[in-house]
Amino acid sequence: MEPQAEALQPLKNIEGAIEAILYAAGYPVKYAKLAEVLGLDVRNTKTVIQHMSTEFNSEKSKRGVLLLMFEDTCQFCTKEQYAPYIREALGIRRGGNLSASSMEVLAVIAYNQPVTRSFVDQVRGVDSSYAFNSLIDKGLIEACGRLDAPGRPMLYVTTEKFLRVFGITSLSELPATETMLPAKEAVPMVEQEGEDAEGGVTSEEELADEAPDKETTAE
């Protein structure tokens, strides 16, 4: 019998197979793909993974990883408290941290998406071009369309990578906030035409905030 054919025989330990696949992948895996290789339907596959996540993500769990579930995918990630030990063991330099300005922009987008850059600028009271471009480069925000208004400015939302980086599975898990913000544009969104992010002049304040020694958070 071919090794591959033998490996795909009915499994007695579905959870073990899912754990092995996610561990080996190291990136989000679609429920549909897991269902296909395990001989299950997507609904049952998600049920099994939900059961697994309860064990992995319990506060009493001694495991060093979390099992994150998203709308179409799931993934293992290490727990935040073990980050210093991981960096030390693997020789990973500190870096890639988000500056205070980037965190501000990310927070405004996360709690009010979809939003335009001008809305974020209005909330912060400063030009946010540099932080926007940095967050786009890091894959934490993306353009999702254009506002159906004069000039048709680009609209931005957070990405699935944003959820993974902050260890949450949906925006509903964001901490509650009572911050009062200006009224967001309440007009229809039109389909994105694939143009690049809006440009703008980088202010000295933004450049100073983006210094590499910031330790606000890291991906």
Side-chain angles (χ1 to χ4, degrees), residues 11-160:
L11 286 164
K12 295 182 179 180
N13 186 1
I14 297 295
E15 291 190 3
I18 293 173
E19 183 174 348
I21 294 169
L22 297 181
Y23 175 84
Y27 54 80
V29 179
K30 291 183 177 295
Y31 300 121
K33 172 56 69 174
L34 292 170
E36 176 186 341
V37 300
L38 297 174
L40 302 173
D41 58 37
V42 173
R43 181 178 179 180
N44 285 332
T45 300
K46 293 181 74 171
T47 298
V48 173
I49 296 172
Q50 179 65 58
H51 178 266
M52 293 173 61
S53 70
T54 301
E55 176 186 352
F56 276 92
N57 303 345
S58 169
E59 293 183 359
K60 297 181 180 180
S61 173
K62 296 182 179 180
R63 294 178 181 269
V65 296
L66 297 172
L67 176 48
L68 300 181
M69 295 185 67
F70 307 105
E71 184 176 356
D72 299 313
T73 63
C74 57
Q75 179 188 18
F76 277 137
C77 73
T78 56
K79 292 182 177 179
E80 183 179 2
Q81 62 263 39
Y82 302 124
Y85 304 97
I86 295 171
R87 283 195 293 266
E88 181 68 21
L90 303 183
I92 300 173
R93 294 182 179 180
R94 291 195 66 91
N97 295 346
L98 295 180
S99 69
S101 60
S102 290
M103 283 294 292
E104 288 177 2
V105 171
L106 196 55
V108 174
I109 296 174
Y111 282 97
N112 298 276
Q113 57 189 303
V115 296
T116 62
R117 198 182 72 199
S118 62
F119 172 80
V120 177
D121 289 347
Q122 181 183 4
V123 172
R124 299 185 64 229
V126 64
D127 180 76
S128 304
S129 302
Y130 186 84
F132 257 83
N133 292 331
S134 176
L135 292 170
I136 291 171
D137 288 342
K138 294 182 188 316
L140 297 176
I141 65 171
E142 63 184 1
C144 68
R146 289 184 178 277
L147 198 65
D148 190 10
R152 302 178 69 248
M154 195 74 76
L155 288 161
Y156 295 90
V157 295
T158 55
T159 63
E160 186 176 278

Side-chain angles (χ1 to χ4, degrees), residues 143 146 152 154 156 192-198:
R146 289 184 178 277
R152 302 178 69 248
M154 195 74 76
Y156 295 90
Q192 178 185 351
E193 295 184 349
E195 296 187 17
D196 294 334
E198 300 173 63

